[in-house]
PDB file of all heavy atoms in Angstrom:
ATOM      1  N   VAL A 958      -8.280 -17.663  18.329  1.00  0.00           N
ATOM      2  CA  VAL A 958      -9.022 -18.361  17.277  1.00  0.00           C
ATOM      3  C   VAL A 958      -9.195 -19.832  17.651  1.00  0.00           C
ATOM      4  O   VAL A 958     -10.287 -20.410  17.513  1.00  0.00           O
ATOM      5  CB  VAL A 958      -8.294 -18.234  15.923  1.00  0.00           C
ATOM      6  CG1 VAL A 958      -8.934 -19.140  14.887  1.00  0.00           C
ATOM      7  CG2 VAL A 958      -8.314 -16.795  15.446  1.00  0.00           C
ATOM      8  N   ALA A 959      -8.115 -20.460  18.140  1.00  0.00           N
ATOM      9  CA  ALA A 959      -8.188 -21.870  18.519  1.00  0.00           C
ATOM     10  C   ALA A 959      -9.208 -22.082  19.635  1.00  0.00           C
ATOM     11  O   ALA A 959      -9.990 -23.041  19.602  1.00  0.00           O
ATOM     12  CB  ALA A 959      -6.805 -22.361  18.957  1.00  0.00           C
ATOM     13  N   ASP A 960      -9.214 -21.182  20.613  1.00  0.00           N
ATOM     14  CA  ASP A 960     -10.159 -21.305  21.726  1.00  0.00           C
ATOM     15  C   ASP A 960     -11.599 -21.117  21.258  1.00  0.00           C
ATOM     16  O   ASP A 960     -12.511 -21.813  21.720  1.00  0.00           O
ATOM     17  CB  ASP A 960      -9.824 -20.282  22.812  1.00  0.00           C
ATOM     18  CG  ASP A 960      -8.509 -20.608  23.520  1.00  0.00           C
ATOM     19  OD1 ASP A 960      -8.001 -21.730  23.342  1.00  0.00           O
ATOM     20  OD2 ASP A 960      -7.993 -19.727  24.252  1.00  0.00           O
ATOM     21  N   GLN A 961     -11.817 -20.172  20.359  1.00  0.00           N
ATOM     22  CA  GLN A 961     -13.173 -19.930  19.863  1.00  0.00           C
ATOM     23  C   GLN A 961     -13.680 -21.104  19.041  1.00  0.00           C
ATOM     24  O   GLN A 961     -14.846 -21.481  19.127  1.00  0.00           O
ATOM     25  CB  GLN A 961     -13.218 -18.643  19.018  1.00  0.00           C
ATOM     26  CG  GLN A 961     -12.860 -17.379  19.787  1.00  0.00           C
ATOM     27  CD  GLN A 961     -13.676 -17.238  21.061  1.00  0.00           C
ATOM     28  OE1 GLN A 961     -14.903 -17.330  21.036  1.00  0.00           O
ATOM     29  NE2 GLN A 961     -12.996 -16.998  22.165  1.00  0.00           N
ATOM     30  N   ARG A 962     -12.799 -21.697  18.250  1.00  0.00           N
ATOM     31  CA  ARG A 962     -13.208 -22.851  17.451  1.00  0.00           C
ATOM     32  C   ARG A 962     -13.555 -24.034  18.345  1.00  0.00           C
ATOM     33  O   ARG A 962     -14.501 -24.782  18.076  1.00  0.00           O
ATOM     34  CB  ARG A 962     -12.094 -23.224  16.474  1.00  0.00           C
ATOM     35  CG  ARG A 962     -12.007 -22.279  15.300  1.00  0.00           C
ATOM     36  CD  ARG A 962     -11.010 -22.765  14.279  1.00  0.00           C
ATOM     37  NE  ARG A 962     -11.053 -21.912  13.091  1.00  0.00           N
ATOM     38  CZ  ARG A 962     -10.243 -22.038  12.058  1.00  0.00           C
ATOM     39  NH1 ARG A 962      -9.332 -22.986  12.070  1.00  0.00           N
ATOM     40  NH2 ARG A 962     -10.341 -21.245  11.017  1.00  0.00           N
ATOM     41  N   LYS A 963     -12.783 -24.197  19.400  1.00  0.00           N
ATOM     42  CA  LYS A 963     -13.076 -25.278  20.341  1.00  0.00           C
ATOM     43  C   LYS A 963     -14.431 -25.047  20.998  1.00  0.00           C
ATOM     44  O   LYS A 963     -15.246 -25.963  21.118  1.00  0.00           O
ATOM     45  CB  LYS A 963     -11.981 -25.350  21.402  1.00  0.00           C
ATOM     46  CG  LYS A 963     -12.137 -26.510  22.384  1.00  0.00           C
ATOM     47  CD  LYS A 963     -10.965 -26.558  23.343  1.00  0.00           C
ATOM     48  CE  LYS A 963     -11.081 -27.765  24.265  1.00  0.00           C
ATOM     49  NZ  LYS A 963     -12.314 -27.749  25.071  1.00  0.00           N
ATOM     50  N   LYS A 964     -14.690 -23.813  21.400  1.00  0.00           N
ATOM     51  CA  LYS A 964     -15.980 -23.498  22.017  1.00  0.00           C
ATOM     52  C   LYS A 964     -17.123 -23.706  21.032  1.00  0.00           C
ATOM     53  O   LYS A 964     -18.180 -24.223  21.389  1.00  0.00           O
ATOM     54  CB  LYS A 964     -15.982 -22.040  22.500  1.00  0.00           C
ATOM     55  CG  LYS A 964     -15.155 -21.810  23.743  1.00  0.00           C
ATOM     56  CD  LYS A 964     -15.395 -20.437  24.293  1.00  0.00           C
ATOM     57  CE  LYS A 964     -16.847 -20.298  24.700  1.00  0.00           C
ATOM     58  NZ  LYS A 964     -17.145 -19.003  25.317  1.00  0.00           N
ATOM     59  N   GLN A 965     -16.869 -23.290  19.785  1.00  0.00           N
ATOM     60  CA  GLN A 965     -17.911 -23.421  18.771  1.00  0.00           C
ATOM     61  C   GLN A 965     -18.211 -24.887  18.500  1.00  0.00           C
ATOM     62  O   GLN A 965     -19.372 -25.287  18.377  1.00  0.00           O
ATOM     63  CB  GLN A 965     -17.469 -22.714  17.489  1.00  0.00           C
ATOM     64  CG  GLN A 965     -18.596 -22.489  16.487  1.00  0.00           C
ATOM     65  CD  GLN A 965     -18.162 -21.609  15.331  1.00  0.00           C
ATOM     66  OE1 GLN A 965     -16.983 -21.327  15.156  1.00  0.00           O
ATOM     67  NE2 GLN A 965     -19.111 -21.176  14.534  1.00  0.00           N
ATOM     68  N   ASN A 966     -17.175 -25.719  18.442  1.00  0.00           N
ATOM     69  CA  ASN A 966     -17.367 -27.150  18.224  1.00  0.00           C
ATOM     70  C   ASN A 966     -18.098 -27.788  19.397  1.00  0.00           C
ATOM     71  O   ASN A 966     -18.962 -28.647  19.222  1.00  0.00           O
ATOM     72  CB  ASN A 966     -16.016 -27.843  18.012  1.00  0.00           C
ATOM     73  CG  ASN A 966     -15.382 -27.475  16.690  1.00  0.00           C
ATOM     74  OD1 ASN A 966     -16.081 -27.081  15.751  1.00  0.00           O
ATOM     75  ND2 ASN A 966     -14.061 -27.585  16.608  1.00  0.00           N
ATOM     76  N   ASP A 967     -17.742 -27.360  20.622  1.00  0.00           N
ATOM     77  CA  ASP A 967     -18.416 -27.881  21.805  1.00  0.00           C
ATOM     78  C   ASP A 967     -19.889 -27.508  21.799  1.00  0.00           C
ATOM     79  O   ASP A 967     -20.757 -28.302  22.166  1.00  0.00           O
ATOM     80  CB  ASP A 967     -17.752 -27.349  23.073  1.00  0.00           C
ATOM     81  CG  ASP A 967     -16.351 -27.918  23.270  1.00  0.00           C
ATOM     82  OD1 ASP A 967     -16.026 -28.925  22.604  1.00  0.00           O
ATOM     83  OD2 ASP A 967     -15.586 -27.349  24.080  1.00  0.00           O
ATOM     84  N   THR A 968     -20.157 -26.252  21.361  1.00  0.00           N
ATOM     85  CA  THR A 968     -21.540 -25.783  21.317  1.00  0.00           C
ATOM     86  C   THR A 968     -22.353 -26.577  20.304  1.00  0.00           C
ATOM     87  O   THR A 968     -23.492 -26.969  20.554  1.00  0.00           O
ATOM     88  CB  THR A 968     -21.582 -24.284  20.950  1.00  0.00           C
ATOM     89  OG1 THR A 968     -20.817 -23.547  21.890  1.00  0.00           O
ATOM     90  CG2 THR A 968     -23.018 -23.771  20.940  1.00  0.00           C
ATOM     91  N   ILE A 969     -21.740 -26.838  19.146  1.00  0.00           N
ATOM     92  CA  ILE A 969     -22.426 -27.614  18.108  1.00  0.00           C
ATOM     93  C   ILE A 969     -22.687 -29.033  18.597  1.00  0.00           C
ATOM     94  O   ILE A 969     -23.754 -29.607  18.386  1.00  0.00           O
ATOM     95  CB  ILE A 969     -21.592 -27.627  16.814  1.00  0.00           C
ATOM     96  CG1 ILE A 969     -21.526 -26.225  16.213  1.00  0.00           C
ATOM     97  CG2 ILE A 969     -22.168 -28.609  15.804  1.00  0.00           C
ATOM     98  CD1 ILE A 969     -20.557 -26.097  15.053  1.00  0.00           C
TER      99      ILE A 969
END
Side-chain angles (χ1 to χ4, degrees):
V958 171
D960 291 347
Q961 298 308 309
R962 284 187 174 176
K963 184 176 183 300
K964 286 190 62 177
Q965 194 172 11
N966 290 336
D967 291 344
T968 303
I969 293 171

